[in-house]
Amino acid sequence: MSDFEDAHNISDNPFAALFSGIPAPSVDESSQATSSKAFSEQAVLEIESSKPVNHALDSYRVNEYIQKVFLFTVAEDHRDYSSDVSDNVFVLLPQLKESLDLLGQTWIDFEHLEEALFERLLLEQPSQHLCPKDPSINSDDASETNVVTYLCGCYNRVSKETSDVPESWKSSIIDKIFTNCLTCLLVPPEMYAGQNCPAQFVDVFTSRFACASSDVLLEFLNGFIEFAQKSEDGSLKEVFFPIFNAVSTIISSIHVTVSQTMQPYIDFLTALLKDEKMCLLFLEYHSLPEKTLGKQFQNTILGRILEKSTILPDSSNELFFKPSQSGKAELQRQEQNLKVSLGKVFMSAYDLIKRVLAYTSCAKKFHAWLSHCIVANKNRATLSGVHSAEGDFASDGFFLNLSALCLKLMHKFSMQHPTTEKVLKIDPTYCKMVLPESAEERDELGVRSSFREETFVTSLPEDALPIGTRPPCEPLTEMFFLTHKIFHLAFYRINSRLQTMLAQLRRLEQSRQNNNNSQAWLKKFDEAVARFFAVRVALNEPLFTTMAIDFLKTSAVMLCHYAQTNARNEDTNLQKPQVPLAEVQLRLLSCFPEIIVQNISEFTVYNRRFNEGHIEPSVLSDFQAFFIMFMSYKERISNPHLRAKLAECLELTLAHDDFETRSDLMAARRLDAKKAEGFKSMPLRDQASFAIIKLFVDIEQSVTGDEILFEQKFSYRSPMIKMLDIMWTIPEFRESIKKLAKEAVDNIEAANVPVFVRFVNLLLNDSIFLLDEAMQYIAQIRNMDRERESGEWARLGLGAMQREANLRQLIHMAKFHCIMATDIVHSLRFITSGIQDLFVHPTFVDRVASMLNHFLKKLVGSERNSLAVKSRFGEIEFKAKKLVKDICYIYINLSDQHSQQLSSAIARDGRSYSPDLFPSAVEVLYKISTSTEEVQGEVTAELIEKIRLLGQSAQTAVDQQQAEEEDITDAPDEYLDPIMSILMTDPVVLPSSGATVDRSTIARHLLTDQTDPFNRQPLTMDQVKPNVELREEIENWMQSKRAKVNVSIKGRVEAVNNDVRRPENTSNSEVEQGPGPLEIDYSPLDNLD
């Protein structure tokens, strides 16, 4: 025997008998015990000193270890070769057994482990190769068919193996497990009988082993990721993108109502994102081509998470079943459960992104992803509110949750009260960033570069603008503006959709009686209510609401700061809000996009109308200060629509407005009382009235410039009128309004017309237009009702439907004009109760008197029968009695201290005044005073008596004027005003045209048109020059005419007084009770309120 053969002869090895083909050593029985003891004491020495012995021992131990870990064997009776695995079931590998039999080997070593593992993984039915086939022994692990599950089980057994084996063996086996796990993720599914290995990978870590072996699984996952990162077999994308796809597919199947079942998948993804490489890989998975459709962003993991929402397609109402038949408590319970589910949705996304943003490089890529998502969906805000955001754009639910995610990421910045340090962290010049010259670099910026194309809150000349920042920008600044952009894309459209749904619900409610509560109507109503509730639940999720309020509050404080200063350095202090404009150009304010103000205003309106509406007093104060500051001057916000929106916001923040109680008179009064309390605690109280009145006036200038539609201005002014009504009830605000009025009277002819003068002029203009329009609409409605009742429409066939639609439109328009006219006339009533000098000033008194006469004639004169559509009065909210009462109070307010001026102006109104105007008013007031409606208490005997006396005074003035007019009929043309054709009393010369007009005429003209009426050149009141010579000439002429007058009008005045239709011998108590039946048609005044 050669030395080589001798060295490798293991026939003397005590374990040689374990291996077939090797003769057992010849030992006698007496030495057997000794040999066993010797091995136990000197095994290590023998392994180290004898190579043949080491080889045999290692082969035995390796085989046993491999069998324990992989649960396969090549020995049919494996118990002959393993002392500790007798209770296990193994899978017999027939092909490897056949190969090893040819080599005379009945064990598995490391050399053949790869081949063994490969064969085991390819077995489609491992359970058919079990040995022993003993049903009493659990064989689930050995017969596992899913390859990834099997490999993870192998790793689990390696980790739990407590036998003393070399670490190199463990490392070698773990490498084999990782290698094969990597292979099964890379090769086509057909390799493993069509198994979906990525899905198995996800399943292992989210269900089967998640509870029992979480530590081992995390260890496996970390080890596998490190192995994959070092491996040269395939890229990380090839390995992990299929896993990401599998997670995305699973999450997409989870319904929003069970969103908590996503948590294991979120935990798995969080574990995957163990380092910067994996986080970058995760973001790379979400990147899409530049020209992709917006909806494609939902086909990613983040997209699948964020698309979970209660905002479903319009055809779906699965979340609320038959809400009309559910009790309030049940609906509230359903809403609460859904809110909890929604909160879990965006918090799941937050848990992932928070892990990703731990790395600066990842933050940059995440901002880029947000940017590209915005670009792809930038037009979704323009979609109609009727249909959900389907088609090419991401859904409403996706964007609302995405905005919630962004708000959560910014919440640490905004959750506490804003400080100077916080405000200065945001760079206002971000939106004016200097763009890179390279087109490729600009493309990388995405929407961040397009912020330069935004409409900004105010505009300055290019040479006055600050130099914008240069990319890269601070992550916090970038996230601040991206969050606003995403919030706008989400909230603006969803809120619009909710408003549309509400309008549909109201129309359905109005049609209830016509449909007699039919099953078809009830089904349609339930579906509409369910959709409305589903959208409202999404918007009312508590955490979203809280984060939105905090973020928008911080934004408001920031804008207030830059509305007063351009300072942004370490010595800067946060500026306290104040109304007066800063003397410097607001360069930094001009860098903020308009959408920030839109977000603040839209959310405030929604929160007060559709949510619980509660905002902490300190936070509410920040919002109110912002509203007052920015609605005051166009230099702070150029967009008049936005300024008007801020007035609506201010009115809503005074008290929560509950839609359900608006029709309740007592509830409305309680609401007004709450709003009055809100005013008392409001910031900038001393400047609030000025801010509201100035905005009221500025809106008119915007109408002139076609920025606001003519009809639209009345809607914008409605909340301003309501606030002024309430402010007048508070002494502090009432005095501030009176102060503005006194300044107006003192400076009525100043170059810059006082704002209160313009305000009064617009009140008069609006009341005249609105009430005239309302009455015309009512007359048209009356005519159409008569046509329908006569049967004329029945003969029109299909044309009757068009007539019905036209009638509904007329009713809608009449209602709008009636409400607005009633509010403005009421405002004139309370203003004139404390302010008279301005209204009886020559500039206004004739207009005031003619307006009052005109409408009083319409309401109490012979024309009132044209308003006899009392069946419609409740529908169009035409409150004729309230209008009569308020108009009469305006007369009395102005006549108490200025009876002569008002009476003369009434008498000069040749269009509407007649001798029976005030007697008719007295008769109507008597009727109103005996009614049972709410106006009764305000129509007192004192009011009626004062109106009667005013009528007498007016008729006296008429007689005086008639006598004077008879004497001036031959006045020279040069004495007459060329515009009004009346005798001038204070002629002035217009500088550019040289024309001479009466001062009162040109003063009224300049209130609405700052130009010379004869040549359209700019003109202000301080530029006109008194024509002293002409005035003296007119006065001398008048004196000479009066000297010739020898006619007494005393008898005519007494005759008129006797004609006033007041019951004779009536005591004061009888006056309070009113007269008996009158032969006058009062139908237009019945059931009006």
Side-chain angles (χ1 to χ4, degrees), residues 293-312:
L293 295 176
K295 65 180 180 181
Q296 294 300 324
F297 283 84
Q298 290 181 220
N299 297 335
T300 59
I301 291 177
L302 277 178
R304 294 305 185 193
I305 296 173
L306 295 174
E307 71 181 0
K308 310 276 174 228
S309 176
T310 58
I311 305 179
L312 304 173

Side-chain angles (χ1 to χ4, degrees), residues 701-747:
Q701 297 173 334
S702 301
V703 174
T704 305
D706 293 331
E707 294 168 295
I708 292 180
L709 297 176
F710 182 77
E711 299 281 351
Q712 195 175 35
K713 70 177 181 180
F714 300 115
S715 297
Y716 285 166
R717 285 174 175 162
S718 178
M720 303 176 212
I721 292 295
K722 292 177 182 177
M723 284 190 286
L724 289 172
D725 279 5
I726 297 170
M727 292 170 81
W728 190 260
T729 65
I730 305 171
E732 176 185 357
F733 291 99
R734 183 166 62 247
E735 291 306 313
S736 67
I737 296 173
K738 288 182 177 181
K739 182 179 178 182
L740 290 173
K742 185 178 184 306
E743 292 173 355
V745 174
D746 295 341
N747 300 279

Side-chain angles (χ1 to χ4, degrees), residues 42-85:
Q42 300 182 10
V44 176
L45 292 176
E46 291 179 0
I47 291 172
E48 294 297 332
S49 60
S50 173
K51 188 173 182 180
V53 172
N54 182 51
H55 177 78
L57 180 61
D58 282 358
S59 297
Y60 165 76
R61 296 180 63 195
V62 166
N63 182 72
E64 183 179 42
Y65 188 54
I66 289 174
Q67 287 185 152
K68 286 182 179 180
V69 171
F70 293 102
L71 302 181
F72 53 56
T73 185
V74 291
E76 293 183 359
D77 190 0
H78 60 85
R79 287 170 291 187
D80 293 340
Y81 307 100
S82 179
S83 59
D84 297 329
V85 294

Side-chain angles (χ1 to χ4, degrees), residues 964-965 967-969 971 975 983-985 1031-1045:
E964 291 176 356
E965 288 173 0
D967 295 330
I968 63 173
T969 53
Y975 292 177
L983 187 69
M984 292 184 289
T985 59
R1031 183 177 63 191
E1032 292 176 352
E1033 187 177 334
I1034 294 173
E1035 289 176 352
N1036 292 334
W1037 182 82
M1038 285 294 299
Q1039 288 177 2
S1040 65
K1041 296 294 291 183
R1042 290 193 184 102
K1044 298 177 182 179
V1045 175

Side-chain angles (χ1 to χ4, degrees), residues 337-543:
N337 290 339
L338 288 172
K339 287 176 183 178
V340 171
S341 296
L342 288 171
K344 293 183 181 298
V345 169
F346 64 78
M347 284 305 296
S348 296
Y350 172 73
D351 289 340
L352 288 177
I353 296 303
K354 180 177 66 173
R355 187 69 172 259
V356 169
L357 295 184
Y359 306 98
T360 304
S361 59
C362 295
K364 180 180 177 181
K365 283 190 173 294
F366 177 64
H367 290 171
W369 183 81
L370 291 176
S371 170
H372 296 154
C373 182
I374 292 171
V375 170
N377 290 279
K378 62 182 179 181
N379 293 325
R380 74 180 300 278
T382 62
L383 293 173
S384 166
V386 178
H387 301 97
S388 58
E390 297 175 341
D392 295 339
F393 304 109
S395 67
D396 287 341
F398 168 84
F399 254 95
L400 187 62
N401 285 326
L402 181 60
S403 67
L405 168 62
C406 293
L407 289 171
K408 180 61 179 176
L409 293 172
M410 290 295 296
H411 200 212
K412 187 176 180 180
F413 166 77
S414 60
M415 64 188 298
Q416 301 297 329
H417 194 273
T419 61
T420 302
E421 182 182 3
K422 279 189 177 185
V423 169
L424 297 183
K425 281 183 178 180
I426 305 301
D427 183 0
T429 65
Y430 170 85
C431 296
K432 300 280 188 179
M433 69 167 59
V434 178
L435 300 181
E437 295 182 2
S438 164
E440 183 177 348
E441 291 179 319
R442 286 199 299 271
D443 289 342
E444 288 182 1
L445 289 173
V447 78
R448 292 169 287 175
S449 65
S450 70
F451 269 111
R452 288 181 60 91
E453 303 168 8
E454 287 284 338
T455 302
F456 294 91
V457 294
T458 187
S459 59
L460 291 177
E462 281 295 327
D463 56 356
L465 293 174
I467 298 176
T469 185
R470 294 180 179 273
C473 308
E474 287 293 326
L476 181 63
T477 292
E478 194 158 57
M479 194 64 204
F480 175 83
F481 288 102
L482 288 174
T483 300
H484 266 295
K485 189 74 175 179
I486 291 170
F487 186 89
H488 177 71
L489 285 176
F491 190 80
Y492 184 83
R493 211 203 82 79
I494 299 172
N495 188 31
S496 173
R497 182 178 175 186
L498 192 71
Q499 300 284 354
T500 302
M501 289 179 173
L502 183 62
Q504 291 173 340
L505 276 174
R506 286 174 174 166
R507 287 194 293 271
L508 277 171
E509 183 65 29
Q510 291 171 357
S511 67
R512 179 194 293 267
Q513 293 182 349
N514 295 337
N515 290 273
N516 297 319
N517 284 335
S518 66
Q519 289 299 316
W521 179 90
L522 192 60
K523 179 181 178 183
K524 192 173 182 180
F525 181 76
D526 273 337
E527 290 173 351
V529 171
R531 290 192 294 268
F532 176 81
F533 281 177
V535 175
R536 192 180 65 176
V537 163
L539 288 173
N540 287 0
E541 197 284 320
L543 182 56

Side-chain angles (χ1 to χ4, degrees), residues 17 35 96 116 122 124 129 190 209 254 308 465 469 478 573 583 905 922 955 1007:
S35 297
L96 181 60
L122 291 181
E124 294 186 21
H129 302 275
E190 293 78 13
F209 292 94
I254 297 176
K308 310 276 174 228
L465 293 174
T469 185
E478 194 158 57
N573 292 320
E583 296 181 359
V922 168
Q955 188 57 46
L1007 289 176

Side-chain angles (χ1 to χ4, degrees), residues 29 58 132 145 156 229 375 388 430 440 468 541 654 658 709 725 737 884 896 908 958 1033 1050 1078:
E29 295 180 2
D58 282 358
T145 57
N156 188 44
Q229 289 174 345
V375 170
S388 58
Y430 170 85
E440 183 177 348
E541 197 284 320
L654 297 174
D658 188 348
L709 297 176
D725 279 5
I737 296 173
V884 170
D896 276 348
R908 286 193 294 270
V958 168
E1033 187 177 334
K1050 181 177 179 181
L1078 300 173

